[in-house]
Amino acid sequence: MAQYKTVAGPVGLTISKKESYTEAVKQYAAIIDREAVGGWKLDCIQEIPVTKNNGCIAGLMGNATTTITFNMLVFVKED
C-alpha cells in the first residue's frame, strides 16, 4: 500500500539579476532533497488553485475573490 504526502513549494521564485535561472531550480531541489528521506520519492508537482473570498466590501469594489496557485510537491512511499 502506498502512502502520500504533500509539501507546498514556492508560489513564485525570485532571483537577482546577477543570478542564473539555475539558482531558482536549486530552491526546488533543496525542498525535494529535504523531503525525500526515509523512503519518500517525488511523484509529481501539482498546481492547486486556491480561491479566497475577500468579503462584501471588497466584492462591491470588484474584488470578490483572489486566486493563488500553489505548487504542491507530491511524494510517495511504498510500505
Side-chain angles (χ1 to χ4, degrees), residues 3-58:
Q3 296 179 35
Y4 292 89
K5 72 174 180 175
T6 59
V7 177
V11 173
L13 300 172
T14 304
I15 57 174
S16 72
K17 69 179 188 176
K18 294 180 182 180
E19 294 177 305
S20 72
Y21 290 103
T22 304
E23 296 303 316
V25 173
K26 286 181 183 177
Q27 292 179 39
Y28 264 95
I31 296 169
I32 293 167
D33 288 343
R34 182 184 71 227
E35 297 296 331
V37 294
W40 290 101
K41 295 180 185 177
L42 179 66
D43 186 54
C44 67
I45 298 175
Q46 184 69 44
E47 291 185 347
I48 305 293
V50 177
T51 301
K52 177 180 180 182
N53 292 325
N54 293 328
C56 295
I57 294 177

